[in-house]
Amino acid sequence: MSATIKLDAPFSHSLVDDAADPQVGRPLPRVDGPRKVAGQARYAAEHFPDGLAHGVLLRAPVGKGRITRLEAAAARAMPGVLAVVTDPRLIRNGGDFAGSAAPVQGVEEVVYFGQPVGVVVAETFEQARAAALMVTIDCAADDDGVFDMEAALDRAAPPTDDIFGLFLIHTEQGDVEAAMEAAAHRVDAVWTTPSHSHSAMEPHAAVASWAGDRLTLDASYQSPVTSRDQLATVLGIAPENVRVRSPFVGGGFGGKLGLMPEAAAAAIAAQQLRRPVKVAMTRQNVYETTGRRPATHQRLRLGADADGRLTAIAHETITDQLAGESFFEPAGIATHLLYAGANRLVDHKVVRVNKLLAVSMRAPGEAAGQLGLECAMDELAEQLGIDPVDLRLRNEPDRHPEDGMPFSSRALVDCLQRGAERFGWSKRNRTPGAMRDGEWLIGHGMAASVRGNLYGPSAARVSIGGNGQVTIESEMTDIGTGTYTILTQIVADLLGVSTDRVEVRLGDTDSPRSAGSGGSWGAATAGSAVYAACEALRAQLAAAAGVPLEEARFADNALIARGARHPLARLAGEGMSVEGATEPGENNARYSQAAYGAHFCEVRVSAVTGETRLSRWNSVFAAGRILNPRTATSQAIGGIVFGIGAALTEELVHDARTGKVVNRDLGEYHVPAHADIPAIDVLFLDERDSIANPLLLKGVGELGTCGSGAAVANAIYNATGVRVREFPVTLDKLLPGLPD
């Protein structure tokens, strides 16, 4: 049996609110936690089928050119070497979350340094690694490679396509130029952000095994079904002949949304050798070969009248990407809806460069774009001589400022006001550079946060066994976000079962297809599919008990009605199963949906060295119903740390002569460590969004990243009086302007 919920009307009531012993809303510890700490949760590289061989990628030694010779005789003669595979199906670029479209293929033409061109397979990893060093790759280098976006801004052109239909390339209304000319106060400046690496804890890995014509791939992917379809295209076989399993993923942040080279290499090598092959990337491989957040060059113009009302907003972004690829960094995506203003312009252009593929990275568009927009708002507030919080309050729209849609819910004002009160914003340093503690200059900064509430079709199967055990099956993954736990909580409430009677099986393309773990929509989409299945199961159980559904109450592993208790195990008989599904509808077309927040922080900047230390942090968010405060807070903190990294430390450096990634490990690519982060205070407002979905929730995974970096940059200015518009804000950019 199947049941589908389409989001065509508001959900005036949620069945979750009828739970006798509510689990949703409780800080339930992760149900998969014991398996992880005991080493029983198996990740991609921890699969060791019989006969396993190991592969190491061969990579191009130039940034642009063509391979003229690949000499592998010496490698093939080494101990344990099974093959040197240079199959033309090896993908050149990793995939992204763009459906089942084939990644760019062919390995002869080199378009970025480190591009995969083959794979050496041996009995052990060490043998394969040693043999790979013996392969000679000769290339005819081209002289027209583009390795520096800033040096090639004159080549910027509109993107070829908006692959998601969400990242608007160009929108315009009113007359920005005239409004800027007439404005009483103006900001017109450029902010730049560098490329970033996802730096997930678990490096990419894949183990490929063939059984006849069917391939099973154990890999680390956020959307197994997308990777399955792309891999099937690469191999030239039907998708049903590929099974991808990713039950546990050690972080992804967008870097594992689509097929990457290790999976194609493992599958092709295993097909040729007729034995399982593992390709596990080193950390250096991940930085050089998978994907990155694109760099951006953002010109922001804000015009305001004497009262601080915005009259003009223009956000023009140039970003970088490989030739032939459609993804671009939509840095203006939040600018569409964050503030009111009659005259508006949002535009995106792309410079085609010879760097590794640019892909989605946590809060694509919003993360980079709000670094610029929220810093520009801070500059405007200073010009006006008003509180930065007050400036935002004065420009709060009552409807979407461009298309006029009503908001499904919008509590940004509450977030700003509660956050200011919680932080003690009224006692902040009001004069840049005026607050000091010895060598330390103290400053305070804030920024708003917004992340669009995306939604995609999703399905899940919920089954009740004859023993009363409930099983949830979905291709949805848990990338550290808590999917196992929140699906358990939803089923416990809707069916009245104890959490220890719920088993969740995730990350298998043989299960019902989900929307994948990306876009902060995992809890909403997979959770709503489970909701649909449980709603149908409740009706079946009531019918089996012979009572009207409206009289049934589900609690204590039973259906209770008319003074009688009917155990679910008995009602289920030999078993009940429903495949629930959910899909977007009129709600998504008629309402502007987003989650909102506000960040407040304190920094201390050394007047001697320019070193920046964070000393206090408060964030307030409104994201609909919070299913699990523990996992949601963890996601919020992780997102905030992401934003702090973008503000202070993270920069993927490419050699401007070759495009080679210079800082290709965690020793050189600096992500924040524990010592860099103060205690982070997070508050979620009590909110329900009846438009969003039957669970009344909105995503939180990327919300914390949005605006948090700008809060840091604004605090640094407040501490020092030095405006840095080139991220990250490193000490070398501060030192020339620091006070004596």
Side-chain angles (χ1 to χ4, degrees):
M1 179 181 175
S2 62
T4 300
I5 292 176
K6 191 172 182 181
L7 308 185
D8 280 336
F11 296 90
S12 57
H13 176 72
S14 176
L15 294 174
V16 171
D17 293 316
D18 298 336
D21 180 23
Q23 297 300 309
V24 166
R26 289 186 179 181
L28 186 71
R30 292 175 185 265
V31 297
D32 52 319
R35 294 178 65 187
K36 289 181 175 178
V37 299
Q40 296 170 346
R42 187 175 297 183
Y43 290 82
E46 297 175 320
H47 290 268
F48 296 93
D50 292 340
L52 179 66
H54 298 263
V56 169
L57 293 173
L58 297 171
R59 295 171 298 120
V62 299
K64 189 173 189 293
R66 192 167 187 82
I67 295 175
T68 58
R69 185 176 72 103
L70 193 151
E71 177 54 57
R76 291 190 177 97
M78 293 182 68
V81 173
L82 301 170
V84 178
V85 179
T86 57
D87 193 295
R89 294 174 296 170
L90 282 167
I91 62 173
R92 183 175 74 187
N93 308 328
D96 197 13
F97 201 38
S100 58
V104 177
Q105 298 182 39
V107 295
E108 294 84 6
E109 182 187 0
V110 176
V111 294
Y112 67 92
F113 198 104
Q115 172 187 311
V117 297
V119 59
V120 177
V121 186
E123 296 289 353
T124 69
F125 169 75
E126 291 77 11
Q127 290 171 332
R129 180 178 59 185
L133 295 174
M134 298 300 294
V135 176
T136 300
I137 303 173
D138 293 334
C139 296
D142 291 345
D143 295 329
D144 60 348
V146 180
F147 309 115
D148 184 351
M149 181 189 76
E150 288 291 329
L153 294 178
D154 58 341
R155 302 189 186 192
T160 55
D161 185 26
D162 177 0
I163 56 175
F164 300 107
L166 299 169
F167 301 162
L168 301 176
I169 295 172
H170 181 93
T171 61
E172 190 171 353
Q173 66 185 47
D175 189 335
V176 167
E177 302 298 335
M180 285 294 294
E181 183 67 25
H185 298 273
R186 308 176 192 87
V187 170
D188 184 350
V190 170
W191 280 262
T192 62
T193 63
S195 293
H196 292 154
S197 179
H198 303 81
S199 302
M201 184 183 298
E202 177 200 18
H204 292 63
V207 178
S209 304
W210 289 83
D213 294 331
R214 191 162 200 252
L215 168 67
T216 296
L217 187 82
D218 293 292
S220 185
Y221 284 124
Q222 296 172 238
S223 178
V225 74
T226 299
S227 303
R228 178 202 69 182
D229 293 349
Q230 292 178 341
L231 184 55
T233 303
V234 167
L235 298 172
I237 62 177
E240 55 265 29
N241 285 336
V242 180
R243 181 185 188 186
V244 176
R245 299 185 296 196
S246 303
F248 295 99
V249 180
F253 312 120
K256 297 174 181 176
L257 276 173
L259 186 69
M260 289 293 173
E262 80 287 347
I268 292 168
Q271 187 180 43
Q272 291 188 13
L273 294 172
R274 308 309 301 176
R275 60 187 287 186
V277 173
K278 176 191 296 184
V279 178
M281 287 197 183
T282 64
R283 182 65 64 181
Q284 291 85 352
N285 291 162
V286 172
Y287 279 103
E288 292 183 321
T289 312
T290 56
R292 62 182 174 91
R293 191 196 296 277
T296 70
H297 175 105
Q298 304 174 47
R299 182 189 180 193
L300 275 141
R301 288 178 287 166
L302 301 177
D305 63 20
D307 294 326
R309 302 280 196 269
L310 287 168
T311 56
I313 303 174
H315 195 166
E316 298 163 278
T317 299
I318 299 174
T319 185
D320 61 354
Q321 177 61 291
L322 277 166
E325 299 289 347
S326 56
F327 177 79
F328 65 97
E329 186 75 5
I333 191 170
T335 309
H336 292 296
L337 77 157
L338 197 48
Y339 302 116
N343 303 285
R344 315 176 70 88
L345 169 66
V346 176
D347 184 70
H348 299 89
K349 290 184 172 61
V350 177
V351 173
R352 300 298 173 177
V353 296
N354 296 104
K355 299 179 183 177
L356 75 151
L357 183 70
V359 301
S360 297
M361 184 169 171
R362 197 173 197 168
E366 285 121 331
Q370 286 176 66
L371 280 169
L373 176 61
E374 289 301 288
C375 287
M377 287 290 286
D378 197 69
E379 293 199 24
L380 183 61
E382 182 184 33
Q383 275 194 36
L384 287 158
I386 63 175
D387 186 331
V389 173
D390 189 32
L391 176 63
R392 289 161 173 82
L393 296 177
R394 294 184 192 190
N395 290 282
E396 172 70 6
D398 55 6
R399 299 174 79 88
H400 192 294
E402 291 182 2
D403 58 31
M405 283 187 185
F407 296 112
S408 62
S409 67
R410 179 172 169 123
L412 177 57
V413 169
D414 291 341
C415 291
L416 290 166
Q417 293 175 337
R418 290 289 299 277
E421 178 185 2
R422 197 173 179 91
F423 183 77
W425 183 248
S426 62
K427 300 176 183 177
R428 73 191 186 283
N429 175 40
R430 296 173 185 268
T431 304
M435 185 176 287
R436 190 161 183 161
D437 178 14
E439 73 173 86
W440 296 98
L441 300 163
I442 301 171
H444 303 98
M446 61 79 52
S449 172
V450 61
R451 165 67 184 170
N453 188 51
L454 307 181
Y455 204 87
S458 200
R461 183 184 303 113
V462 180
S463 306
I464 306 175
N467 58 356
Q469 184 80 12
V470 179
T471 303
I472 306 168
E473 298 168 279
S474 176
E475 176 260 341
M476 175 60 69
T477 53
D478 187 330
I479 60 174
T481 48
T483 310
Y484 282 100
T485 308
I486 60 175
L487 295 186
T488 298
Q489 291 175 274
I490 292 168
V491 165
D493 279 3
L494 295 182
L495 297 182
V497 298
S498 55
T499 56
D500 60 358
R501 292 199 180 189
V502 180
E503 179 185 2
V504 183
R505 301 172 184 171
L506 298 177
D508 190 335
T509 56
D510 280 0
S511 296
R513 181 170 187 156
S514 78
S517 292
S520 294
W521 63 22
T525 59
S528 294
V530 168
Y531 184 105
C534 289
E535 188 175 37
L537 281 169
R538 286 162 67 104
Q540 288 187 27
L541 290 165
V547 299
L549 177 59
E550 60 271 18
E551 295 184 20
R553 188 168 65 91
F554 295 85
D556 193 26
N557 304 305
L559 182 155
I560 302 168
R562 298 179 176 177
R565 181 179 181 278
H566 306 272
L568 298 191
R570 189 176 70 209
L571 294 177
E574 295 183 359
M576 289 182 177
S577 184
V578 174
E579 183 170 316
T582 182
E583 58 187 67
E586 292 298 316
N587 289 2
N588 306 90
R590 294 178 179 173
Y591 294 87
S592 173
Q593 298 185 33
Y596 297 90
H599 305 286
F600 296 83
C601 70
E602 178 181 270
V603 301
R604 298 166 68 88
V605 181
S606 170
V608 178
T609 66
E611 173 190 354
T612 298
R613 295 182 181 176
L614 282 157
S615 50
R616 275 201 302 140
W617 195 286
N618 295 78
S619 293
V620 178
F621 301 112
R625 185 198 302 274
I626 300 303
L627 298 178
N628 184 318
R630 183 179 302 204
T631 58
T633 299
S634 176
Q635 285 296 291
I637 291 173
I640 292 165
V641 173
F642 234 73
I644 293 170
L648 295 178
T649 63
E650 294 193 46
E651 179 177 12
L652 194 66
V653 180
H654 292 81
D655 189 321
R657 300 164 298 178
T658 64
K660 177 181 173 63
V661 176
V662 175
N663 54 338
R664 58 196 188 115
D665 57 40
L666 289 170
E668 299 276 342
Y669 181 89
H670 296 151
V671 298
H674 285 90
D676 301 314
I677 305 299
I680 293 178
D681 174 66
V682 171
L683 172 67
F684 284 102
L685 300 183
D686 186 21
E687 184 187 51
R688 303 288 185 270
D689 191 330
S690 63
I691 301 299
N693 48 67
L695 293 165
L696 317 183
L697 65 88
K698 292 185 280 196
V700 301
E702 294 165 288
L703 182 60
T705 305
C706 303
S708 51
V712 175
N714 292 336
I716 291 173
Y717 172 74
N718 182 254
T720 65
V722 181
R723 286 276 184 199
V724 178
R725 302 189 185 97
E726 178 188 352
F727 287 97
V729 186
T730 46
L731 57 87
D732 57 302
K733 298 165 188 170
L734 289 172
L735 280 170
L738 292 179
D740 292 336

